Amino acid sequence: MNYTKCWLDYKPIPENLRRPCYYEPVLLASGRVAETAAEEYCISMSEMLDEPVEMRRGEPVDEPAVYLEVEEELQTAETDAALDRQTFVIRGEEDNIIITGKSEEALLQGVFAFTRMVYLGEIDEKLPFFCTPSTPLRMMDHWDDMDGSIERGYSGRSFFYDDYEMMYNERIEMYARLMASIGTNAITINNVNVHEKETFLITDVYLQQVKQYAELFARYGIRLYTSVNFAAPMQLGGLTVCDPLDPDVVAWWEKTVKHVYEVIPEFGGFLVKADSEGRPGPFTYGRTHADGANMLARALAPYGGTLVWRCFVYNCGQDWRDRQTDRARAAYDHFMELDGKFDDNVILQIKNGPMDFQVREPVSPLFGGLKKTNMMLEVQIAQEYTGQQIDLCYLIPMWKEVLAFDIGGDGTAVSHVVCGIAGVINTGDDENWTGNDLAAANLYGFGRLAMDQTLSAEQIANEWSRLSLSREDDVTDTVVPMLCGSWATYEKYNAPLGIGWMVTPHTHYGPDIDGYEYDRWGTYHRADLHGIGVDRTGVGTGYVEQYNEPWRSRYADQATCPEELLLFFHYIPYTYELKTGKTLIQHIYDTHFEGVEEVEAMKKQWEGLEGKISERSFACVKDRFARQLENAKEWRDRVNTYFYRKSGIDDEKGRTIYK
Amino acid sequence: MNYTKCWLDYKPIPENLRRPCYYEPVLLASGRVAETAAEEYCISMSEMLDEPVEMRRGEPVDEPAVYLEVEEELQTAETDAALDRQTFVIRGEEDNIIITGKSEEALLQGVFAFTRMVYLGEIDEKLPFFCTPSTPLRMMDHWDDMDGSIERGYSGRSFFYDDYEMMYNERIEMYARLMASIGTNAITINNVNVHEKETFLITDVYLQQVKQYAELFARYGIRLYTSVNFAAPMQLGGLTVCDPLDPDVVAWWEKTVKHVYEVIPEFGGFLVKADSEGRPGPFTYGRTHADGANMLARALAPYGGTLVWRCFVYNCGQDWRDRQTDRARAAYDHFMELDGKFDDNVILQIKNGPMDFQVREPVSPLFGGLKKTNMMLEVQIAQEYTGQQIDLCYLIPMWKEVLAFDIGGDGTAVSHVVCGIAGVINTGDDENWTGNDLAAANLYGFGRLAMDQTLSAEQIANEWSRLSLSREDDVTDTVVPMLCGSWATYEKYNAPLGIGWMVTPHTHYGPDIDGYEYDRWGTYHRADLHGIGVDRTGVGTGYVEQYNEPWRSRYADQATCPEELLLFFHYIPYTYELKTGKTLIQHIYDTHFEGVEEVEAMKKQWEGLEGKISERSFACVKDRFARQLENAKEWRDRVNTYFYRKSGIDDEKGRTIYK
């Protein structure tokens, strides 16, 4: 097995960064996760100090030392009990350093934070360091299937499954370390589209294998979740229905969950995709999503389990001729009327935008609608629509925009209303885990951002680059701007101004302008010879009305609608003048030429890093940039030709547009 | 195993069609195929006469009798030796009927012709009946793969292969009977895209299984061919090249072919797809197609084998931006310079049109170019682009147009220059063999047309309908016009005026107007806001210059170009006035509305046949018509909307065009 250690690949640090206390760690706590904290300290510090570091236990020592302790009575300002428990402090005291967690899990996070600060040379600057995570639930969702494939995976095959068996090996352990090191505390191990074999994950067919994962994860403070098949009582239990109000169904789930917890006491809960894209669900029986979710939640509640229910519910059999139905409305239309009807241990998992992880979408209005329901944000670390880990697209700036977005219209940001963040993970069994080495910045960044939303996208990029590529400034100075500008670049050569979906059907890589235009997925751009865009105002589909003010009015008016979302909300003539003074058509041409130029520039910048980073990383990303450039050119030319053929309007600058 | 007998499903005939002699057949010939002729006589006549009919042998009898004989000295007017040998005569002599073949194979054809005439009540009208087939080689090409799949198969799985084994069973025998009954005398048993396992068909791995087929086929006068992998010497022989001029390669093929003929003396030969769509070929070594074909032909020649070499060679990696390269030119450009350089036992297999089995194409100019090369016509019975045996599209009218086309410009029709016809077969393991019962008319018709090009499409449809569905006139009166009009209907709701290719990529069913427009396959329509079409005149790609006069000039001039091919040869504005007085855009709208109306009418007509034909046939085709109607509507609406959005021109008649 051959795999990298990503951002945990510590190298020896310079003398000036070393302190005597680092060599003498003392664990003053006990327990499974505290032991992991001690172990992680020793692994990382041994690498950094280039000599074996061993943990002492139980008693303070005379020499300068680093103390690892758990103090349940630690004073914090946090009022959220779940968050409070996750608080840790790192402080200096004379020549000692004390890492104090309010729980064992918090201590482990403290150790990871500490070793990272040591490696990055931040100890002097940052101590004392207080940390309460920004959000209590930080979840990775795997879309791995048990045949070993990964739905929307761009980094090889699953490292969890092969041919319907769960693998257990050193890589899984490395994986758990990587996840814990960025603050992950929940992992859903299988695809939300639960196929036949995966339905058995919560039965004795696989429970012992699941238990092995759950125990490993638990040692790292991570709870294991499974995606479940809502129709499991029929497939596994021989029942004729899976009606959530049917007593036999309720009893079946109760019995099944009870057994899961007997085998795996630290089991986290279930993730459910129901009544969506062909999955079974409560609609079949005239029941609501609340009926469905609560039934499962009640089976989990006695054991402290959580039920995560996805809001990605829409009509995937739309007639393209139908201009009234609007997929963007679907989540809000389905779930708003259920506000307040979900049990306390239910969390609704809501995608960042109303469509599906496009390069640019408005923030889902559901975050601003639901008031009495637990919500978590779902983003896609896997770059399904954003370059598939071939093209560089650092997504932290996008996620930060979403989290900071004033969805309440009254200063209430998305980050204020969610109790968790889930990321569809971008890993696979490629040596570098993420296909493109640089795509690991999204994985790292997702975790870091979920822990600490005050971090800027630049800070995260900087940390990641120094941990993963090189601590030298010239590398950081090249890589950080490259990462931070890459989303904007990707957006430039893709579908313009929020319209989305001009991708190759099924694969979702590369352009096909009309690829979804006459299909059943509710994803249309409506381009004709005069203009392009979807009218989602009150006279259109009415989608804008799902927003709180001022967004409702701002989006409804072409003049105030943010231009990066203009075509999402409005049908706009090609000759419409944007705020830049450019016409829409000229904007399309310009951005597509610019996008390619920017990729060319990034490619060149990367090539300047030869010899400054590992050969493997260098070659991997060099190859990806070459492919990205081809992709960007294809996008540029197809989009420009498409709109030239539609509009007949020449590029003002006379550049090559193929006729 | 459950399968129908198609057109060989004889029922008892009325008394007035019976003659005493039918009950007393006498075989005056001997040999393997003569025995088959006797057997076929008995099977068919037993069914028609509703009592067992047994064959006598060796001596004339006193009672009225049907004599089956072979007379090698039979006088005919035929000058082509191969054809001459295939001649048969059926004549009455007093109360006897005498079926005389110039060979055993001809006798077998005489028996099939005789039993068909008896069933159809044509004996009085047609005797004496002389038949020399229209073309000596009448080949079925299977695109079956050994995993059991069929490339472009729309009737279930292969009945030859399952999981890399060849099956032998009663269905294979029925298949051989069906093929022989329509005059087939060559069958290629595997896909022209020869994958790894299929490469072994000509080795001991499979030869005994192939032999079993070959012997069965031989009993029916049919020779078995295999598609071969040009790189077989590398894959199987461990050679480092497959260069046709390399002595080791030559020796490998000689040895391999020798062994094939040792095992299967009646082996027909090879079919080769080389240097096309990723297949290996002589180009790799700087050799020509003649070098490649002749090398194989010379290995086959000592045993009387034939080498069939496909001309479907083109650049399948074209850049859509490139307007100079024209896939339509490819076959001519590749093969014309090789005219006269192919050995006598090489036949070039040329698709009917220059592209790939579209609903409308001009006839391939290669037929008019090659003068010193054996050629055969390749058509596709499988309805890859013509409705996939869901939509009804009776193709005999198309094939008749092709065969009758004056490709020489001097009265030399395609039928005059080809020595054979190959059809890519449309069968599979569906109960009815062809998915849609009505699609069997194409299979039957292909065979009949290859035997006798004087038959009209209506005659063939009539024969097939009466043999397969019902001998009642009201059924025939419904089905024959339906079949004969179905190609025109299909064309109406598909891509307009010869432009082709507006199909869903990969599957090739259903519309996707831009599906291939920006792809690498050389299949573009070039529609913009002003018009649509490809300029293939001298100022365009120059394709027209591959034709003999008068076609070159006729096609080059918009005014004289046949309108059904207008967009194939010219870029035409939407406002261009056609000979009907309609604008191009109005023609597009009108034909697409009409196409749907015609499908609705056919569907209704078919539903009127309930109770008049077998329930199975009725239900099968009823279901297909329902699906065809959906498909036709989708074509209508997508095409109309696409062109409305491009042109902005309203339908004159104000019908619904979705915006």
Side-chain angles (χ1 to χ4, degrees), chain A residues 472-494:
Chain A
E472 298 300 319
D473 284 348
D474 54 350
V475 172
T476 315
D477 292 348
T478 301
V479 171
V480 172
M482 186 182 279
L483 286 170
C484 290
S486 60
W487 174 39
T489 297
Y490 188 83
E491 185 176 14
K492 279 187 175 180
Y493 61 79
N494 273 259

Side-chain angles (χ1 to χ4, degrees), chain B residues 292-309:
Chain B
N294 291 340
M295 180 271 291
L296 291 169
R298 283 164 200 167
L300 291 160
Y303 315 100
T306 301
L307 191 279
V308 182
W309 189 270

Side-chain angles (χ1 to χ4, degrees), chain B residues 86-156:
Chain B
Q86 297 187 36
T87 299
F88 66 84
V89 180
I90 309 171
R91 58 198 160 85
E93 209 173 74
E94 298 172 5
D95 292 336
N96 301 313
I97 284 176
I98 301 159
I99 308 174
T100 311
K102 203 155 177 184
S103 61
E104 291 181 61
E105 291 77 11
L107 170 62
L108 176 61
Q109 288 304 316
V111 166
F112 280 120
F114 171 75
T115 55
R116 183 166 55 233
M117 286 177 199
V118 170
Y119 192 70
L120 298 177
E122 299 175 336
I123 289 292
D124 289 337
E125 155 203 352
K126 290 211 169 161
L127 260 45
F129 184 79
F130 298 85
C131 173
T132 300
S134 297
T135 182
L137 185 60
R138 302 174 300 277
M139 178 181 266
M140 294 290 182
D141 287 346
H142 280 262
W143 286 1
D144 296 35
D145 288 319
M146 293 196 74
D147 63 357
S149 66
I150 301 175
E151 189 169 321
R152 310 305 174 184
Y154 311 106
S155 318

Side-chain angles (χ1 to χ4, degrees), chain A residues 107-328:
Chain A
L107 171 62
L108 176 62
Q109 288 304 315
V111 167
F112 280 120
F114 172 74
T115 56
R116 182 167 55 232
M117 286 178 197
V118 170
Y119 192 69
L120 298 176
E122 299 175 337
I123 289 291
D124 289 337
E125 156 203 350
K126 291 211 169 160
L127 259 46
F129 184 80
F130 298 84
C131 174
T132 299
S134 296
T135 182
L137 185 60
R138 303 173 299 277
M139 178 181 266
M140 295 291 182
D141 287 346
H142 280 263
W143 286 1
D144 295 35
D145 288 319
M146 293 197 73
D147 63 358
S149 66
I150 301 175
E151 189 169 323
R152 310 305 173 186
Y154 311 106
S155 318
R157 308 264 302 162
S158 174
F159 45 73
F160 285 169
Y161 309 108
D162 184 43
D163 196 19
Y164 304 104
E165 292 298 326
M166 294 181 74
M167 296 183 277
Y168 195 93
N169 51 45
E170 285 180 4
R171 184 168 192 152
I172 305 295
E173 291 172 3
M174 185 69 221
Y175 165 77
R177 294 186 59 212
L178 286 168
M179 292 302 98
S181 74
I182 54 174
T184 305
N185 61 6
I187 292 174
T188 307
I189 60 168
N190 64 304
N191 189 357
V192 289
N193 293 316
V194 183
H195 307 297
E196 194 188 337
K197 296 269 190 170
E198 292 81 357
T199 303
F200 288 90
L201 274 171
I202 51 171
T203 72
D204 281 331
V205 175
Y206 289 116
L207 264 183
Q208 287 305 320
Q209 296 178 40
V210 176
K211 177 188 176 72
Q212 218 179 354
Y213 276 34
E215 287 184 347
L216 167 67
F217 292 175
R219 282 203 283 124
Y220 284 90
I222 299 169
R223 290 210 163 200
L224 181 147
Y225 287 63
T226 62
S227 295
V228 295
N229 178 351
F230 196 80
M234 299 168 72
Q235 190 192 315
L236 305 182
L239 301 186
T240 54
V241 296
C242 58
D243 180 350
L245 301 192
D246 181 283
D248 291 341
V249 171
V250 171
W252 186 88
W253 279 109
E254 283 173 354
K255 190 187 65 179
T256 299
V257 170
K258 178 163 185 276
H259 184 60
V260 168
Y261 277 93
E262 279 165 5
V263 178
I264 308 172
E266 59 271 86
F267 189 77
F270 296 149
L271 173 61
V272 186
K273 175 177 180 177
D275 285 318
S276 170
E277 299 182 328
R279 308 308 307 160
F283 284 175
T284 308
Y285 307 100
R287 312 304 183 192
T288 69
H289 283 280
D291 294 329
N294 291 340
M295 180 270 292
L296 292 169
R298 285 163 201 169
L300 290 161
Y303 316 98
T306 301
L307 192 280
V308 182
W309 189 270
R310 289 177 97 227
C311 294
F312 185 58
V313 178
Y314 69 100
N315 172 11
C316 67
Q318 187 173 340
D319 191 327
W320 59 269
R321 301 164 185 83
D322 169 8
R323 286 189 172 233
Q324 287 316 302
T325 303
D326 181 0
R327 170 168 165 178

Side-chain angles (χ1 to χ4, degrees), chain B residues 330-473:
Chain B
Y332 189 98
D333 284 347
H334 277 112
F335 285 91
M336 265 306 288
E337 63 188 20
L338 301 175
D339 194 19
K341 296 196 174 148
F342 291 95
D343 283 10
D344 285 347
N345 64 330
V346 174
I347 306 177
L348 296 189
Q349 183 166 301
I350 303 169
K351 291 192 179 188
N352 59 280
M355 299 297 278
D356 189 14
F357 301 136
Q358 299 301 290
V359 66
R360 174 72 68 176
E361 292 187 42
V363 173
S364 173
L366 200 51
F367 290 115
L370 295 173
K371 302 295 181 198
K372 298 168 283 182
T373 303
N374 298 320
M375 292 183 276
M376 63 191 295
L377 169 66
E378 180 181 5
V379 299
Q380 196 181 32
I381 312 170
Q383 291 171 240
E384 178 178 356
Y385 293 96
T386 51
Q388 303 198 351
Q389 289 133 252
I390 297 165
D391 299 28
L392 181 61
C393 193
Y394 177 61
L395 293 164
I396 311 304
M398 180 203 285
W399 300 335
K400 282 193 67 74
E401 274 189 26
V402 171
L403 285 162
F405 186 77
D406 175 15
I407 191 72
D410 56 358
T412 307
V414 170
S415 63
H416 300 144
V417 299
V418 297
C419 65
I421 307 186
V424 180
I425 200 166
N426 63 349
T427 52
D429 72 355
D430 277 1
E431 183 183 0
N432 68 356
W433 301 81
T434 54
N436 188 333
D437 274 47
L438 297 182
N442 283 327
L443 180 57
Y444 177 85
F446 170 83
R448 295 287 291 131
L449 185 65
M451 278 294 281
D452 184 358
Q453 292 181 26
T454 67
L455 292 170
S456 71
E458 289 75 14
Q459 281 175 301
I460 292 172
N462 191 304
E463 275 186 8
W464 175 81
S465 176
R466 289 193 291 148
L467 290 165
S468 306
L469 295 176
S470 163
R471 295 194 306 174
E472 299 299 321
D473 284 348

Side-chain angles (χ1 to χ4, degrees), chain A residues 601-616:
Chain A
M602 285 198 291
K603 183 170 175 289
K604 233 175 248 169
Q605 285 157 20
W606 183 263
E607 286 163 5
L609 294 181
E610 186 159 19
K612 296 179 183 169
I613 57 174
S614 83
E615 273 183 46
R616 194 201 50 69

